[in-house]
Amino acid sequence: MTMARIKRDPKKVALAQAILEAYQPKSVEDMQDALKDVFGPMFEAMLKGEMNNHLGYDSNDKSPKENDNRRNGYGKKTLKTTQGEIEIEVPRDRDGSFEPTIVPKRQKDVSAIEGKVLAMYARGMSQRDISKTIEDIYGFSVSHEMISDITDSILDELNEWRNRPLKKCYAFTFVDCMYVTLRNDYEVKECAVYVILGYDLQGHKEILGIWLSESESKNYWMQIFDDIKTRGVEDIFFISMDGVSGLEAGAKAIFLNVVVQRCIVHLIRNSIKYIPSKDYKKYTQSLKKVYGAPNLKAANIAFDSFKNEWSQYPGAVDVWVRNFAHIEQLYDYGSDVRKVMYTTNAIESINSSFRKVTKKGSFPNENALFKLLYLRSKELEDKWDGGVVRNWSMVLNQLMVNDKFKNRIDKYINL
């Protein structure tokens, strides 16, 4: 089948032909140089149009004028554009009242470079790499100071985001901590970055916040829960976490009815260190029969079998004996709810994305770190684009038939 030809605007075709005849380009580079040359006259023509509008007449108008202001020659200006640096002539008037809008006074950069710098910064590029990349692509240099000024421009937005009001209810939250290096003069120290991911009652993901402390502790987690409560959160159904000592008690001190779930994947990692590598596969298969059982009775039977089968490794078995309550409580809920609450993979995926951009080295201060993590968070939320968690309708239905949650969902679902 023959595809239909693209219909081009005849005016644009004529313009392209005129450029080709004038420049006779032999390569892509020649075409880009031609476009760069065209940029200057385009800017100048638009500036002349603005001057005509400002004065109320064009340069060829010989009729009597309503005011004494007149054109007063041109000033030269070098612009930074996406095609590189170009020199243009800017019209002037006698009384200096002309304020162009296409290229405002004192503005020399029309390349929208700020957004490009922020995007590169969000991907973990250093100031040196950003500067070199801008110069390689656009043909002009950007100083480290300019890059710092551009990234500092989001500080107000960052602070607003960190203190923004949150939704009143989150069905699921996932908490995790990672470590980064901060330097202060000659002192270098590891600091804990706390992150909370939430699923609201519509099944939308949201990073509730990012916090920084010198170490991970139950007391600081408690302060964080208190912070999100102050910002408007009234109820949380589930918190999935990796097992920080005291975190469960701290969470329940703030949100009385929350269900705290130990991450099964973390428990597997904690127990497998007691198992010889040759038995890893068989061991994890036995475990899956426990936490993947269809009901609690089957889980208990599988757990008894598991304890007998692996009794020669008491360290591994003891991890599960001490934490079996976190297996049992899974079966208070439907299978789709269990699939959401049993692991912290969702938040670990976010921290993995954060680590990709923080592994470049140490940060000179907290602001530098927060700027990077905030921009990365915005990128992640743009990728989610308001999408709904998989099988969310089934998850919500299974919560609705549970007496623990029905009235709480009714209270908040339409807020």
Side-chain angles (χ1 to χ4, degrees), residues 230-286:
T230 301
R231 289 165 56 198
V233 180
E234 296 178 0
D235 197 359
I236 294 175
F237 296 172
F238 297 95
I239 293 176
S240 292
M241 52 92 167
D242 64 4
V244 177
S245 176
L247 190 152
E248 180 171 358
K252 289 185 173 179
I254 307 298
F255 298 101
L256 302 181
N257 297 314
V258 70
V259 175
V260 179
Q261 175 64 43
R262 284 291 303 272
C263 174
I264 302 301
V265 175
H266 276 85
L267 290 176
I268 293 172
R269 292 175 190 163
N270 291 344
S271 66
I272 207 169
K273 62 188 177 186
Y274 299 102
I275 302 295
S277 57
K278 65 182 178 67
D279 290 331
Y280 282 179
K281 185 175 181 180
K282 185 178 179 182
Y283 174 78
T284 54
Q285 287 174 341
S286 297

Side-chain angles (χ1 to χ4, degrees), residues 22 47-48 65 93 143 162 265 284 298 324 329 344 361 410:
L47 287 166
K48 286 178 182 178
K65 310 301 184 293
D93 59 345
S143 68
R162 292 185 65 199
V265 175
T284 54
F324 193 66
Q329 74 176 6
T344 57
D410 288 340

Side-chain angles (χ1 to χ4, degrees), residues 68-125:
D68 295 331
N69 196 14
R70 298 288 186 273
R71 289 172 175 78
N72 188 32
Y74 296 87
K76 289 188 176 181
K77 188 171 192 175
T78 300
L79 293 179
K80 294 177 179 178
T81 77
T82 53
Q83 298 296 321
E85 291 187 346
I86 60 172
E87 190 171 63
I88 64 170
E89 292 186 335
V90 181
R92 296 178 302 202
D93 59 345
R94 289 180 182 176
D95 65 13
S97 59
F98 177 49
E99 296 284 347
T101 57
I102 182 66
V103 186
K105 288 181 179 178
R106 293 172 292 280
Q107 181 180 343
K108 296 182 178 180
D109 188 348
V110 294
S111 62
I113 204 67
E114 291 87 352
K116 298 173 179 67
V117 167
L118 291 174
M120 286 186 276
Y121 192 81
R123 288 167 176 78
M125 291 179 66

Side-chain angles (χ1 to χ4, degrees), residues 67-340:
N67 59 60
D68 295 331
N69 196 14
R70 298 288 186 273
R71 289 172 175 78
N72 188 32
Y74 296 87
K76 289 188 176 181
K77 188 171 192 175
T78 300
L79 293 179
K80 294 177 179 178
T81 77
T82 53
Q83 298 296 321
E85 291 187 346
I86 60 172
E87 190 171 63
I88 64 170
E89 292 186 335
V90 181
R92 296 178 302 202
D93 59 345
R94 289 180 182 176
D95 65 13
S97 59
F98 177 49
E99 296 284 347
T101 57
I102 182 66
V103 186
K105 288 181 179 178
R106 293 172 292 280
Q107 181 180 343
K108 296 182 178 180
D109 188 348
V110 294
S111 62
I113 204 67
E114 291 87 352
K116 298 173 179 67
V117 167
L118 291 174
M120 286 186 276
Y121 192 81
R123 288 167 176 78
M125 291 179 66
S126 66
Q127 290 187 345
R128 178 179 298 174
D129 289 341
I130 291 172
S131 180
K132 187 176 186 305
T133 301
I134 293 295
E135 186 166 8
D136 288 346
I137 296 175
Y138 301 110
F140 58 82
S141 60
V142 179
S143 68
H144 291 189
E145 291 76 14
M146 181 178 177
I147 294 171
S148 182
D149 288 343
I150 290 172
T151 57
D152 280 350
S153 69
I154 67 162
L155 284 174
D156 288 343
E157 181 183 329
L158 163 63
N159 290 329
E160 183 178 340
W161 180 80
R162 292 185 65 199
N163 295 286
R164 74 195 188 281
L166 298 172
K167 291 167 184 160
K168 291 182 180 295
C169 179
Y170 291 90
F172 297 89
T173 56
F174 307 85
V175 303
D176 198 16
C177 191
M178 56 177 275
Y179 283 84
V180 297
T181 304
L182 291 183
R183 65 179 185 273
N184 183 12
D185 294 329
Y186 298 104
E187 181 185 5
V188 176
K189 60 182 179 181
E190 291 285 304
C191 291
V193 176
Y194 299 75
V195 187
I196 298 183
L197 170 69
Y199 294 174
D200 66 20
L201 290 177
Q202 282 71 39
H204 298 139
K205 295 181 182 180
E206 180 184 355
I207 297 174
L208 305 191
I210 301 169
W211 297 263
L212 187 67
S213 178
E214 291 191 359
S215 62
E216 185 177 16
S217 70
K218 63 179 181 181
N219 290 331
Y220 198 74
W221 272 118
M222 190 169 175
Q223 292 176 41
I224 290 172
F225 292 130
D226 193 46
D227 177 41
I228 64 174
K229 185 172 184 178
T230 301
R231 289 165 56 198
V233 180
E234 296 178 0
D235 197 359
I236 294 175
F237 296 172
F238 297 95
I239 293 176
S240 292
M241 52 92 167
D242 64 4
V244 177
S245 176
L247 190 152
E248 180 171 358
K252 289 185 173 179
I254 307 298
F255 298 101
L256 302 181
N257 297 314
V258 70
V259 175
V260 179
Q261 175 64 43
R262 284 291 303 272
C263 174
I264 302 301
V265 175
H266 276 85
L267 290 176
I268 293 172
R269 292 175 190 163
N270 291 344
S271 66
I272 207 169
K273 62 188 177 186
Y274 299 102
I275 302 295
S277 57
K278 65 182 178 67
D279 290 331
Y280 282 179
K281 185 175 181 180
K282 185 178 179 182
Y283 174 78
T284 54
Q285 287 174 341
S286 297
L287 268 178
K288 193 169 184 179
K289 293 177 182 178
V290 180
Y291 65 84
N295 52 59
L296 181 56
K297 182 177 179 181
N300 277 306
I301 293 171
F303 189 48
D304 289 338
S305 176
F306 166 82
K307 288 187 290 186
N308 290 330
E309 182 180 2
W310 298 97
S311 59
Q312 72 271 36
Y313 302 115
V317 172
D318 184 58
V319 170
W320 294 97
V321 170
R322 286 186 285 107
N323 289 282
F324 193 66
H326 290 281
I327 299 289
E328 290 180 305
Q329 74 176 6
L330 287 172
Y331 294 95
D332 291 339
Y333 315 103
S335 59
D336 289 291
V337 174
R338 294 202 298 270
K339 287 176 184 176
V340 177

